[in-house]
């Protein structure tokens, strides 16, 4: 472990994913009508779930293209800048956009998203849909 005054070397990888960022909705527990037991429901319909899966898959493939090593086992620092369509009736929450990215990178760049010790995220919107929407991700770790 680095002591006070010791230099810590950070490595990083940066990549971009084009496409409309999809938020990962909240889940909630409800009582099943048939069994009376609690059931966990995701807060989205089937169409939203398909869009979310497609977006998470795109993030995963972009990560695989940029990341060539084994999954990081130590602390990870993540920066993400999202650009969403400007004409959205309600822009997605930044924390839900982050959740999708964090989960999509699990098992590819890092072993578990619990390793992420710092997240820096921002969100902009644009009316220009010519490939400018998406996310730019930078991941850092101790060398």
């Amino acid at each position: 472990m680095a002591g006070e005054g010791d230099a810590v070397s950070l490595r990083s990888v940066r990549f971009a994913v084009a496409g409309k960022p999809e938020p990962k909705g909240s889940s909630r527990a409800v009582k099943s009508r048939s069994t009376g037991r609690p059931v966990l429901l995701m807060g989205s319909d089937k169409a939203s779930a398909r869009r979310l899966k497609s977006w998470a898959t795109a993030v995963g493939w972009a990560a695989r293209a940029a990341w060539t090593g084994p999954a990081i086992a130590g602390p990870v620092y993540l920066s993400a800048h999202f650009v969403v369509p400007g004409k959205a009736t309600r822009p997605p929450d930044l924390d839900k956009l982050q959740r999708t990215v964090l989960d999509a990178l699990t098992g590819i760049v890092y072993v578990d998203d619990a390793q992420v010790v710092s997240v820096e995220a921002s969100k902009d919107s644009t009316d220009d849909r010519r490939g400018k929407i998406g996310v730019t991700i930078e991941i850092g770790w101790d060398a």
Side-chain angles (χ1 to χ4, degrees):
M1 190 162 173
E4 208 170 304
D6 291 342
V8 175
S9 177
L10 286 180
R11 298 186 65 196
S12 68
V13 64
R14 182 182 177 111
F15 59 94
V17 186
K20 183 178 177 241
E22 292 292 334
K24 188 165 194 174
S26 303
S27 56
R28 67 182 195 278
V30 297
K31 191 183 228 183
S32 169
R33 291 181 195 172
S34 60
T35 66
R37 294 183 174 191
V39 178
L40 193 62
L41 295 178
M42 292 305 292
S44 61
D45 58 26
K46 286 184 181 181
S48 295
R50 279 193 299 272
R51 288 191 306 270
L52 173 62
K53 184 176 181 177
S54 177
W55 173 246
T57 300
V59 171
W61 280 112
R64 283 180 183 90
W67 183 256
T68 58
I72 299 166
V76 176
Y77 312 91
L78 187 133
S79 172
H81 179 70
F82 297 90
V83 180
V84 297
K87 298 214 183 234
T89 55
R90 182 169 181 237
D93 293 347
L94 185 57
D95 64 321
K96 292 180 180 181
L97 292 171
Q98 290 177 64
R99 193 178 310 158
T100 304
V101 167
L102 290 168
D103 288 347
L105 298 177
T106 297
I108 299 169
V109 176
Y110 40 77
V111 177
D112 189 301
D113 61 357
Q115 296 169 238
V116 178
V117 296
S118 175
V119 176
E120 182 180 312
S122 59
K123 174 180 71 173
D124 285 322
S125 62
T126 182
D127 291 330
D128 184 359
R129 300 186 121 243
R130 294 176 295 195
K132 296 195 180 200
I133 61 173
V135 64
T136 302
I137 300 167
E138 185 167 10
I139 299 160
W141 66 100
D142 297 330

